[in-house]
Amino acid sequence: MMMPEGISGWELAGKLQAERPGLKVIYTSGYSVDLLTRDGEFGKGIHFLPKPYQPHVLAKTVRDCLDG
């Protein structure tokens, strides 16, 4: 979610999705989802993977994102 050079993950994803509509995105962060959102939840269709995560959780999240 937070990246160097003054751009956020949200902004980068938005730019990439503008160039490639339908691009699937998984957001990941070591910050609590409560700090990243106003209500502690992301909108429908947003895939978020909190750090740290196990390989099987990453695989399931990728599968869910691709299937969604």
Side-chain angles (χ1 to χ4, degrees):
M1 300 298 298
M2 300 187 72
M3 299 173 41
E5 304 299 324
I7 189 169
S8 72
W10 288 113
E11 293 168 327
L12 177 59
K15 288 180 180 185
L16 293 172
Q17 288 175 320
E19 292 179 18
R20 296 189 79 188
L23 179 70
K24 309 277 182 152
V25 175
I26 298 172
Y27 298 96
T28 187
S29 178
Y31 289 101
S32 165
V33 71
D34 295 329
L35 294 175
L36 300 172
T37 65
R38 290 189 179 129
D39 58 7
E41 293 186 20
F42 289 100
K44 184 178 179 177
I46 302 293
H47 297 276
F48 178 73
L49 184 60
K51 294 179 187 177
Y53 49 82
Q54 298 294 318
H56 71 278
V57 176
L58 171 61
K60 181 179 182 334
T61 303
V62 169
R63 179 79 273 155
D64 291 346
C65 182
L66 292 173
D67 290 344

